[in-house]
């Protein structure tokens, strides 16, 4: 009661009445300014409420366009149809001052805020259409439009290891820079950074060899980066590229590689160019990359032999089969290429198994729990690695239909290589799962691609080997087959052999004096006290081992040089530098013919042959 009486006295006091009166007077005389102040206060309260939230609920919508739900730095979009029924997710920010945050960061190297995205119904399901994540990063971590060292990652639990989300993209809007990624499931999410590297795209040289009649080899990898062939820990200052497996298979050819961001983060300079392409064309990353590859090939004036793996084979096929103006590809080797697609890229099939009890599924499908675990793990791993390319790799995709509508090039030789043994064993033969995933059946697939898809239904020459998708290109018999195919059709040109001239360059004219041996000819005419030398033009006859020939000496001088050499043991070769006098074991260069003559010995040794070619003197000695 005393407190209430005190409050009542304050409300009735003249001081408070005066304050209220002044505020009301200000509002009445400054209505517009007062409205702006009130609006700003309300907006500030709303912003603090949104960005100060530690958790928020995001709901799947049936609308075609859905604005992202934001909690601090993380935005998430659940597209229509992502789940069979409406799905609600709880997004929680893990407090940075908590023990849990410290433990997660120690295991993951996450930077800044970490979030946990969990389904409200507790059911872990795989999305049929990927969710979009956007993480707004502080500007201090952004190194420029060509930087690609930042990426999003996830952990399945607090004790799990960091798993990279492949195919992230750097983008920017009026709110700043952010990383965008597509995911099929939710978990603990954060962003991390790798070592800064130079972003390199296009056809790049790995091993340089002297030019030859054999075309250089172009390597186009897929999701397996080891296909490039780089041998670890072999880089030096003298050889910054390091050693490469392919240089041992093709020791006399240059080795090139086509680089494109399949699994790595795509920098802003790349995503800007891709978005500009998508504004004018179908939104398809494989088509975009294939068009870039075709453009790159046209830059080179010589032909390539191509060896491609997985998705890389789809790129080279689309590049040359959709564009007949690409004419510098001679032969193509397609190693485990999904020419007809692969079921591992179909999230509908994996959705039947993901997040469900392996024991229950094993009983339903008549197999064992370990086979279920291996199947789910490997199918999910492939789906995550191909990221945005998944939509093109399904057997019924528009891309596969478009690609195979072009037809194989008649001026290009193809060889398909298919593996028939997965790298792991799943016992699903004879079960319903065999129909969903024939890629995992020994004899029918390599663990990623079926033999029917790799061999393009027999429409191209195909060789099968008992190896898996990830190790087939490392096997000696496979490498020998690739080399044998690419060596085919090459014809070594005939080597040109220089021969000494035997034809008569010039015959003597009537009345022209023939000198049997080199000598000095002078004609002196006395005029007063001064002796003048007449200009004379003489023909010099040299008899050498190949017979007689006549060489003109039109030097407009009174001197023709006499050489202390036996007759028949030397000859002349004219050049821009002077006259080469080729003797049996010595070659001398005479210069300053028009003034005082000088000479220098340029070769001493056992000479087999010497001749001028393209303005240069070539000497073949006894050592070869």
């Amino acid at each position: 009661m005393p407190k209430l009486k005190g409050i009542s006295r304050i409300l009735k006091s003249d001081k408070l009445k005066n304050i209220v009166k002044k505020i009301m007077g200000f509002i009445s005389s400054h209505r517009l300014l007062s409205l702006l102040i009130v609006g700003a206060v309300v907006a500030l309260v709303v912003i603090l409420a949104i960005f100060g939230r530690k958790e928020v609920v995001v709901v799947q919508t049936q609308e075609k366009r859905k604005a992202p739900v934001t909690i601090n730095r993380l935005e998430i979009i659940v597209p229509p149809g992502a789940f069979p029924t409406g799905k609600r997710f709880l997004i929680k920010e893990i407090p940075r001052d908590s023990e849990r945050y410290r433990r997660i960061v120690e295991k993951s190297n996450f930077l800044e805020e970490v979030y946990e995205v969990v389904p409200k119904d507790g059911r872990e399901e795989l999305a049929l259409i990927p969710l979009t994540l956007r993480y707004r990063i502080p500007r201090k971590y952004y190194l420029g439009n060509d930087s690609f060292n930042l990426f999003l990652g996830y952990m399945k639990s607090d004790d799990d290891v960091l798993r990279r989300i492949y195919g992230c993209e750097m983008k920017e809007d009026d709110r700043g820079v952010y990383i965008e990624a597509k995911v099929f499931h939710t978990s603990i999410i954060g962003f991390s950074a790798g070592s800064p590297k130079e972003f390199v795209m296009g056809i790049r040289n790995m091993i340089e060899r002297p030019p030859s009649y054999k075309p250089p080899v172009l390597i186009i990898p897929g999701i397996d980066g080891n296909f490039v062939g780089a041998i670890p820990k072999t880089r030096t200052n003298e050889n910054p590229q390091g050693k490469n497996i392919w240089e041992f298979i093709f020791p006399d050819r240059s080795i090139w590689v086509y680089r494109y961001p399949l699994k790595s983060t795509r920098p802003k300079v790349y995503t800007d160019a891709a978005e500009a392409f998508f504004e004018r064309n179908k939104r398809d990353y494989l088509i975009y990359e294939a068009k870039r590859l075709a453009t790159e090939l046209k830059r080179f004036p010589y032909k390539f032999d191509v060896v491609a793996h997985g998705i890389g084979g789809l790129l080279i096929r689309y590049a040359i089969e959709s564009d007949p103006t690409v004419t510098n590809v001679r032969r193509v080797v397609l190693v485990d290429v999904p020419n007809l697609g692969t079921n591992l890229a179909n999230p509908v099939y994996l959705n039947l198994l993901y997040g469900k009890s392996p024991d229950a599924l094993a009983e339903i499908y008549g197999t064992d729990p370990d086979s279920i675990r291996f199947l789910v793990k490997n199918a999910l791993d492939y789906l995550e690695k191909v990221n945005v390319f998944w939509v093109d790799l399904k057997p019924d995709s528009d891309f596969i239909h478009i690609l195979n509508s072009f037809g194989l090039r008649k001026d290009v030789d193809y060889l398909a290589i298919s593996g028939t043994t997965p790298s792991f064993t799943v016992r699903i033969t004879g079960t319903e799962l065999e129909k969903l995933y024939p890629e995992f059946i020994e004899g029918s697939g390599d663990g990623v691609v079926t033999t029917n898809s790799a061999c393009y239904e027999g429409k191209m020459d195909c060789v099968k080997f008992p190896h898996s998708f990830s190790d087939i290109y490392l096997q000696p018999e496979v490498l020998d087959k690739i080399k044998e195919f690419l060596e085919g059709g090459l014809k070594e040109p005939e080597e040109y052999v220089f021969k000494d001239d035997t034809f008569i360059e010039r015959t003597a004219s009537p009345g022209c004096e023939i000198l049997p041996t080199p000598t000095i000819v002078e004609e002196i005419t006395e005029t007063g006290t001064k002796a003048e030398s007449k200009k004379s033009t003489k023909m010099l006859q040299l008899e050498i081992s190949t017979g007689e020939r006549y060489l003109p000496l039109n030097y407009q001088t009174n001197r023709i040089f006499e050489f202390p050499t036996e007759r028949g043991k030397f000859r002349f070769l004219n050049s821009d530098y002077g006259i080469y006098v080729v003797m049996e074991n010595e070659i001398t260069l005479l210069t300053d013919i028009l003034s005082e003559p000088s000479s220098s010995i340029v070769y001493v040794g056992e000479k087999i042959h010497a001749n001028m070619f393209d303005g240069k003197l070539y000497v073949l000695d006894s050592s070869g």
Side-chain angles (χ1 to χ4, degrees):
M1 290 297 292
K3 289 185 178 180
L4 292 177
K5 290 181 179 179
I7 294 174
S8 178
R9 283 197 301 269
I10 293 173
L11 293 176
K12 292 179 180 180
S13 65
D14 294 336
K15 188 175 182 180
L16 180 61
K17 290 180 180 179
N18 290 333
I19 293 174
V20 173
K21 186 176 181 180
K22 289 181 179 179
I23 293 175
M24 296 303 295
F26 179 84
I27 293 175
S28 62
S29 60
H30 300 81
R31 292 183 179 181
L32 180 59
L33 180 59
S34 300
L35 289 174
L36 292 175
I37 293 174
V38 172
V41 171
V42 172
L44 180 61
V45 171
V46 172
I47 291 173
L48 291 175
I50 292 176
F51 292 96
R53 290 180 297 182
K54 296 300 180 182
E55 63 179 55
V56 67
V57 175
V58 57
V59 182
Q60 176 178 325
T61 178
Q62 299 304 319
E63 300 174 5
K64 290 186 177 181
R65 292 186 177 273
K66 172 66 176 177
V69 174
T70 303
I71 174 172
N72 201 350
R73 295 189 183 279
L74 182 67
E75 300 174 0
I76 182 170
I77 301 175
V78 182
F83 298 93
T85 58
K87 195 77 170 176
R88 297 164 63 90
F89 293 93
L90 179 65
I91 308 176
K92 298 187 296 184
E93 179 183 338
I94 299 175
R96 299 185 67 171
D97 57 354
S98 66
E99 177 63 23
R100 185 187 182 195
Y101 178 88
R102 185 192 63 79
R103 187 170 63 252
I104 289 175
V105 170
E106 283 183 354
K107 287 181 172 293
S108 64
N109 290 324
F110 279 144
L111 303 171
E112 303 297 330
E113 289 81 3
V114 178
Y115 302 90
E116 185 176 21
V117 183
V118 295
K120 286 281 289 183
D121 58 8
R123 293 167 50 200
E124 189 176 1
E125 296 180 90
L126 192 80
L128 303 179
I129 303 173
L131 287 63
T132 300
L133 300 178
R134 293 173 182 165
Y135 194 109
R136 298 192 174 273
I137 63 172
R139 177 65 68 169
K140 63 181 179 180
Y141 295 108
Y142 188 60
L143 302 181
N145 292 345
D146 59 349
S147 63
F148 65 109
N149 63 311
L150 304 179
F151 61 92
L152 294 183
Y154 74 90
M155 299 170 64
K156 291 184 177 180
S157 66
D158 292 6
D159 298 322
D160 193 18
V161 296
L162 173 65
R163 303 170 190 268
R164 182 168 186 157
I165 299 177
Y166 297 105
C168 294
E169 297 183 344
M170 300 301 303
K171 296 185 176 182
E172 185 175 12
D173 58 15
D174 54 356
R175 292 177 54 194
V177 180
Y178 61 91
I179 310 174
E180 183 173 289
K182 305 291 185 181
V183 296
F184 286 92
H185 59 89
T186 59
S187 50
I188 299 172
I189 297 169
F191 96 94
S192 189
S195 300
K197 296 179 181 178
E198 179 186 7
F199 181 65
V200 179
M201 293 191 301
I203 297 177
R204 301 289 174 165
N205 180 258
M206 291 196 298
I207 304 296
E208 184 67 38
R209 300 293 189 201
S212 73
Y213 67 96
K214 296 182 179 181
V217 176
L218 175 61
I219 306 298
I220 307 179
I223 61 172
D224 189 350
N226 292 326
F227 189 75
V228 173
I231 301 176
K233 299 181 180 179
T234 58
R235 295 183 179 182
T236 62
N237 292 333
E238 294 75 19
N239 182 19
Q241 295 283 1
K243 294 186 179 297
N244 191 283
I245 293 174
W246 298 107
E247 69 176 302
F248 298 107
I249 309 303
F250 302 102
D252 50 357
R253 301 204 202 189
S254 294
I255 309 296
W256 296 72
V257 62
Y258 181 66
R259 298 195 180 277
Y260 62 105
L262 197 164
K263 295 194 302 180
S264 65
T265 297
R266 302 177 186 105
K268 185 176 181 296
V269 65
Y270 179 94
T271 56
D272 286 349
E275 291 297 332
F277 176 84
F278 297 148
E279 289 178 1
R280 306 184 305 272
N281 304 275
K282 177 181 174 64
R283 189 177 187 84
D284 192 301
Y285 279 87
L286 263 184
I287 292 178
Y288 173 63
E289 274 301 333
K291 294 286 188 182
R292 287 187 59 249
L293 174 57
T295 302
E296 281 286 290
L297 286 168
K298 294 177 186 179
R299 293 196 301 112
F300 293 84
Y302 43 77
K303 286 184 176 291
F304 284 100
D305 281 344
V306 179
V307 184
H309 185 230
I311 292 176
L314 299 179
L315 289 180
I316 186 61
R317 279 196 58 201
Y318 196 101
I320 64 176
E321 292 169 17
S322 67
D323 190 347
T325 63
V326 180
T327 58
N328 59 337
V329 174
R330 189 185 73 100
R331 292 195 167 191
V332 175
V333 179
L334 303 173
V335 182
D336 281 337
V337 173
N339 295 294
L340 302 176
T342 172
N343 284 348
L344 270 68
N346 193 338
V348 175
Y349 293 165
L350 185 56
N351 179 268
L352 299 173
L353 309 175
Y354 181 84
K356 300 173 177 63
S357 168
D359 295 317
L361 291 174
E363 186 174 348
I364 293 172
Y365 289 107
T367 183
D368 59 273
D370 285 341
S371 292
I372 297 294
R373 293 188 185 95
F374 275 116
L375 191 153
V376 172
K377 176 183 179 300
N378 284 275
L380 179 62
D381 181 66
Y382 183 79
L383 190 61
E384 290 181 335
K385 285 181 178 177
V386 298
N387 55 87
V388 294
F389 294 89
W390 72 275
V391 70
D392 291 328
L393 301 176
K394 298 183 301 177
D396 59 346
S397 71
D398 291 341
F399 176 86
I400 294 297
H401 289 307
I402 294 172
L403 170 63
N404 293 327
S405 69
F406 296 129
L408 299 176
R409 287 277 291 263
K410 294 182 179 180
D411 58 337
V412 176
D413 295 324
Y414 296 83
L415 174 66
I417 292 179
S418 173
T420 61
T421 305
S423 59
F424 55 91
T425 300
V426 292
R427 288 179 282 275
I428 61 174
T429 303
T431 70
E432 289 297 315
L433 293 177
E434 180 181 0
K435 299 177 183 178
L436 298 181
Y437 291 109
E439 293 86 355
F440 294 137
I441 304 300
E442 185 170 357
S444 299
D446 60 7
V448 173
V449 184
T450 63
T451 56
N452 188 51
S453 181
C455 294
Y456 192 24
E457 296 180 323
K459 295 179 182 178
M460 61 178 68
D461 292 337
C462 184
V463 183
K464 301 176 184 179
F465 293 93
H467 303 294
S468 71
F469 180 87
S470 58
D471 68 0
I472 188 170
Y473 58 86
L474 299 174
Q475 308 306 317
E477 64 270 28
V478 177
L479 295 173
D480 288 343
K481 186 63 182 179
I482 293 174
K483 182 176 183 179
E484 176 190 338
F485 177 72
L486 295 187
E487 294 289 314
L490 295 175
K491 184 179 180 181
E492 185 174 1
E494 295 182 4
E495 183 178 358
Y496 178 78
V497 180
F498 290 101
K499 297 180 180 179
D500 196 6
D501 293 339
T502 57
F503 59 89
I504 296 177
E505 295 186 6
R506 185 165 178 175
T507 58
S509 301
C512 180
E513 181 181 358
I514 304 300
L515 303 179
T517 57
T519 184
I520 296 177
V521 180
E522 288 188 348
E523 295 182 12
I524 306 298
T525 303
E526 293 290 341
T527 305
T529 60
K530 184 178 180 181
E532 294 182 351
S533 298
K534 275 190 176 181
K535 295 180 179 179
S536 62
T537 300
K538 301 292 183 181
M539 297 298 298
L540 177 64
Q541 179 191 25
L542 298 177
E543 183 180 315
I544 58 177
S545 59
T546 57
E548 289 190 352
R549 65 183 62 181
Y550 300 89
L551 302 178
L553 294 178
N554 299 320
Y555 298 123
Q556 302 297 315
T557 180
N558 65 327
R559 284 182 174 273
I560 299 177
F561 303 112
E562 180 180 16
F563 305 100
T565 323
E566 293 183 10
R567 180 177 178 178
K569 297 295 184 180
F570 62 91
R571 62 193 179 95
F572 296 122
L573 294 175
N574 291 323
S575 75
D576 295 337
Y577 309 104
I579 300 177
Y580 288 104
V581 182
V582 182
M583 307 177 193
E584 187 172 13
N585 295 314
E586 182 180 298
I587 299 177
T588 301
L589 175 64
L590 303 179
T591 57
D592 297 328
I593 300 299
L594 298 179
S595 57
E596 286 300 318
S598 65
S599 64
S600 59
I601 298 175
V602 296
Y603 173 83
V604 176
E606 295 184 13
K607 171 185 61 62
I608 296 177
H609 181 68
N611 208 345
M612 294 295 300
F613 179 75
D614 197 21
K616 298 179 181 179
L617 175 66
Y618 289 84
V619 179
L620 178 64
D621 62 16
S622 58
S623 66

